[in-house]
Each structure stands twice: as structure tokens, then as C-alpha cells.
Amino acid sequence: MENEKQDLERFLKNVDEISELVKELNSSDPECQKKASEKADQLICCLKENEESDESCNTRLNRTVINTNPPQAVTGPQGRQNDSEISTENFMKILEKDAEDRRKRRKENEKLANALKEMGNEAFAKGDYETAVLRYSEGLEKVRDMQVLYTNRAQAYIKLMKYQEAIGDCDWALRKCSAP
């Protein structure tokens, strides 16, 4: 524990010294810059000597990771490697599957957003504007570009006299959700 404290103190001292050198090197005075350059050269030599004697830092950790299981090469029907065809074919399959998964998630999220919009509409009709804002916001978490949720939430904000929020929602609905 004591070694770690000393290590930290030595490190912080070096940081302070380097910071001071950087300030001096950035000085507009050429004489100051020259002196700082000489100090920097001395510091670099000193740090190299400490590094060689391993006194500068007692804490060393090697974080190198080696892949011990590299992927095996795929071979074609005659034993030849046919990576480009297989890679392109697999890539297209993966791309199509991803697009289909996104379409399904979007459809599910739209259903949830519509259900939340209806719940918000019910709360709005009852005069519970705080709950309406919550339901519209939850719907927007599911589908960010559903214009009606922004406008409905803006209306609820108006009823709550939160005009800045209402303006923000209207602006968003007009600029981001409107088709060009």
C-alpha cells in the first residue's frame, strides 16, 4: 500500500513537471522556450533511465489478448477456398434477417405506441393531463417518429401550462416527423 502511494506521488509529480514544461514551451518568450526545451530533454533522459531501472512504476499489467481459436477457413466443394462468394452470400442472408427483425420490432413497437396513445387519450379526456403526458412519452420511447404522439403531448402540456415543452413538441413534430 505504501509503495502504491509513493508510486502515485511520483506519477503526480511527473505530471505537474510536464504540465509546467508545456506552459513554458508555449510561452511567447524565446528564451523561456529554449530553457523549457532543455528541461524537457533532461526529463526525457531521466524518465528513460528510470524506466530501464524500473523505478518509475511498480505496477505493470499486460493486457494483451491473443485469439486462441481463430476461425477456420471455409473451403468450396473441390477443396478450394471460396471466401468472397460465401461471405457475400452470408452477408446478404444476415442483412435480410436483420431487416426482417427490424420490421417486426417496428411493427410491435407501433402497436404498443398506439395502445399507449389510446391510454393517453383516455387520461386526457378525463382531465388527467399528467398521466396523458406520461403515456404519450412512453409511446414516444417505442416509436420516436410518431407525429400524433408529439402533437397530443403538446396539447396536454398546454393544458398543464407548460408552454415551452408544448412548443418543443410541436416544433419536433413539424420538422422531424413531417414527410419532405
Side-chain angles (χ1 to χ4, degrees), residues 43 58 61-62 96 145:
L43 179 65
N58 295 328
L61 180 62
N62 184 353
E96 289 169 2
D145 61 349

Side-chain angles (χ1 to χ4, degrees), residues 45-179:
C45 287
C46 181
L47 288 175
K48 282 183 181 178
E49 288 173 10
N50 284 343
E51 194 174 286
E52 289 171 6
S53 65
D54 202 29
E55 291 176 13
S56 64
C57 182
N58 295 328
T59 320
R60 300 252 187 243
L61 180 62
N62 184 353
R63 294 182 185 255
T64 304
V65 178
I66 298 174
N67 185 0
T68 57
N69 297 322
Q72 299 299 316
V74 179
T75 57
Q78 296 175 336
R80 289 181 297 180
Q81 211 165 356
N82 196 2
D83 284 340
S84 63
E85 263 183 53
I86 292 173
S87 295
T88 304
E89 187 178 307
N90 283 340
F91 175 75
M92 291 307 292
K93 285 180 184 177
I94 291 168
L95 193 62
E96 289 169 2
K97 184 180 181 323
D98 182 59
E100 181 63 21
D101 289 346
R102 287 174 183 259
R103 186 191 65 76
K104 286 178 183 177
R105 275 197 314 267
R106 171 77 182 193
K107 197 170 188 175
E108 267 181 43
N109 285 338
E110 283 176 350
K111 281 183 186 179
L112 288 170
N114 279 321
L116 288 163
K117 180 188 75 153
E118 292 303 319
M119 294 167 72
N121 290 348
E122 289 172 13
F124 188 90
K126 293 177 184 173
D128 187 2
Y129 305 118
E130 291 284 343
T131 301
V133 166
L134 285 173
R135 296 299 166 255
Y136 298 139
S137 297
E138 289 170 1
L140 286 168
E141 288 174 13
K142 299 295 178 190
V143 180
R144 284 266 177 225
D145 61 349
M146 197 168 176
Q147 191 175 29
V148 70
L149 288 172
Y150 285 103
T151 56
N152 286 6
R153 187 170 72 173
Q155 188 65 33
Y157 278 141
I158 290 169
K159 293 289 187 178
L160 293 169
M161 296 182 192
K162 295 182 177 181
Y163 302 114
Q164 286 301 110
E165 290 88 343
I167 290 170
D169 276 357
C170 289
D171 187 51
W172 188 267
L174 289 171
R175 293 179 193 265
K176 304 293 182 185
C177 298
S178 297

